[in-house]
Amino acid sequence: MPANPSTDLLLITCASGKQSTALLPLLSTWKHLRLAVHSASSATRLRAQWPHAEVIQTDLYSPSNCSSLLKDVSIVLHIGPSYHPHEAAIGTMMIDAAAHSHGSGTGVLKHFILSSVLNTQLRKMMNHDCKRVVEEALMESGLPYTILQPTTFMDNLPLQAFIAQDEPAFTCGWNPDIKFSWLTLSDLAAVMYTVLLERESHFFAQYPLVSTRAPLSFKEVLGIVSERIGKEIRVLKAPFEQAVENLCKRLYGTVEGVDARSRDAAMRMILYYDSRGLVGSANVLEWVLRREGCTVEEWVERAMEGR
């Protein structure tokens, strides 16, 4: 049967990140929310934003913490900590705890939703390979699951900064002429909400999620943005080491003290993107949402209108 927002307890991990931030406004009528975060600052912010939710500050790299989080949970949306040196282990711990709570269908857990990444088969990228391991563990767990595989987010582009600046510029970490498929966070959130509510019809599915029908390079996307905001955005390419530092700073807020394994993952991704990009089809997203995905033009217009 479909999920019941009045009674089902929903757990979301990495609940202070960009994916959860896009989803949470859609859950305003969901009565029982448990939001797991890592830092005290994130916990404080979410408690202020979502006072009806139970916000738990915890370290997911712990079997006992994962088990505690899943107590009485009906649905879990597991968003793993990308580039974390133990991302695969954390995902496996969450799955093991969920399988125990599911009890082969006799327990309270009804649905495990995993936010993964498009094309986990691309093992040359460590962040993709970690998620591939988690996907495999989930498929073999006996849990009723849905795997969501988002591609590159448009929202990672600093659109508001472009709008505010007189002479906007963007420094790309890889070849800006390489093609990518793109997804908006709003489309991802809409898919998550649909899968949450409809539940059984999405069991044992893997959904590659792309908003844009045709692959577009960063240069092409920024050209569309330039046209819409009425300002030309200069597109630059950072040297490799600078690109790694820029990505680490975006992910962690600093380049100091970043785990070497996380830095390795950033380096591998940048090298891969520099020659191959990341592409997929919009068909599945359109089927799940029963509409077309958001275009780059629509994304810019919505941002300019404050939506």
Side-chain angles (χ1 to χ4, degrees):
M1 58 189 300
N4 187 338
S6 297
T7 58
D8 285 340
L9 173 56
L10 168 61
L11 166 66
I12 304 175
T13 61
C14 291
S16 65
K18 58 193 174 188
Q19 296 186 40
S20 301
T21 299
L23 173 63
L24 284 169
L26 304 182
L27 301 176
S28 59
T29 60
W30 206 287
K31 300 298 184 184
H32 306 284
L33 286 175
R34 181 174 294 162
L35 308 179
V37 299
H38 183 71
S39 71
S41 59
S42 293
T44 299
R45 176 171 56 83
L46 286 186
R47 286 179 183 129
Q49 290 177 321
W50 310 105
H52 70 291
E54 177 189 10
V55 180
I56 298 178
Q57 182 188 353
T58 188
D59 182 358
L60 292 177
Y61 189 45
S62 160
S64 60
N65 288 352
C66 291
S67 295
S68 295
L69 279 176
L70 280 154
K71 181 177 172 55
D72 300 324
V73 165
S74 309
I75 312 163
V76 55
L77 170 57
H78 178 60
I79 304 169
S82 291
Y83 303 94
H84 192 290
H86 302 298
E87 180 182 358
I90 287 170
T92 302
M93 290 177 196
M94 286 293 298
I95 291 165
D96 287 345
H100 178 74
S101 180
H102 181 251
S104 298
T106 63
V108 66
L109 189 81
K110 304 302 180 188
H111 194 188
F112 192 112
I113 303 170
L114 173 67
S115 179
S116 183
V117 70
L118 183 70
N119 298 342
T120 54
Q121 302 94 329
L122 303 176
R123 294 181 296 150
K124 294 180 179 67
M125 289 186 281
M126 295 169 67
N127 57 317
H128 282 237
D129 200 37
C130 284
K131 290 179 171 64
R132 179 189 62 80
V133 171
V134 179
E135 286 185 359
E136 181 180 22
L138 183 55
M139 291 174 187
E140 295 179 347
S141 67
L143 288 166
Y145 67 82
T146 309
I147 297 172
L148 308 179
Q149 300 169 319
T151 186
T152 304
F153 292 119
M154 292 182 209
D155 308 75
N156 286 341
L157 297 173
L159 182 55
Q160 294 302 328
F162 295 150
I163 293 170
Q165 293 165 357
D166 293 329
E167 298 181 351
F170 180 77
T171 301
C172 195
W174 38 82
N175 184 346
D177 291 310
I178 295 295
K179 302 284 188 178
F180 287 77
S181 293
W182 298 79
L183 176 68
T184 63
L185 285 169
S186 61
D187 277 350
L188 174 62
V191 170
M192 288 176 166
Y193 187 67
T194 299
V195 170
L196 280 168
L197 283 182
E198 295 179 356
R199 197 142 72 191
E200 280 92 344
S201 61
H202 302 284
F203 281 177
F204 313 115
Q206 302 174 67
Y207 293 153
L209 298 177
V210 172
S211 295
T212 54
R213 288 199 168 181
L216 297 166
S217 69
F218 272 70
K219 188 174 289 185
E220 288 172 321
V221 169
L222 291 167
I224 294 170
V225 176
S226 295
E227 182 180 346
R228 294 286 164 162
I229 68 174
K231 304 175 189 178
E232 182 180 356
I233 302 170
R234 289 187 302 122
V235 183
L236 312 171
K237 183 180 183 296
F240 177 66
E241 286 298 329
Q242 185 61 54
V244 174
E245 289 196 3
N246 290 348
L247 181 55
C248 288
K249 189 170 183 179
R250 180 168 69 82
L251 292 170
Y252 302 106
T254 180
V255 296
E256 303 297 329
V258 175
D259 190 286
R261 293 164 292 184
S262 298
R263 186 179 177 87
D264 287 345
M267 293 171 67
R268 296 263 201 103
M269 189 193 77
I270 288 168
L271 288 170
Y272 193 93
Y273 280 3
D274 193 51
S275 60
R276 295 182 181 273
L278 186 67
V279 295
S281 169
N283 287 349
V284 170
L285 180 138
E286 292 177 4
W287 171 75
V288 173
L289 294 184
R290 304 171 183 89
R291 63 167 173 80
E292 292 185 6
C294 183
T295 65
V296 177
E297 291 86 350
E298 289 169 340
W299 174 67
V300 177
E301 289 169 6
R302 290 174 185 176
M304 294 182 72
E305 294 170 0
R307 291 188 288 131

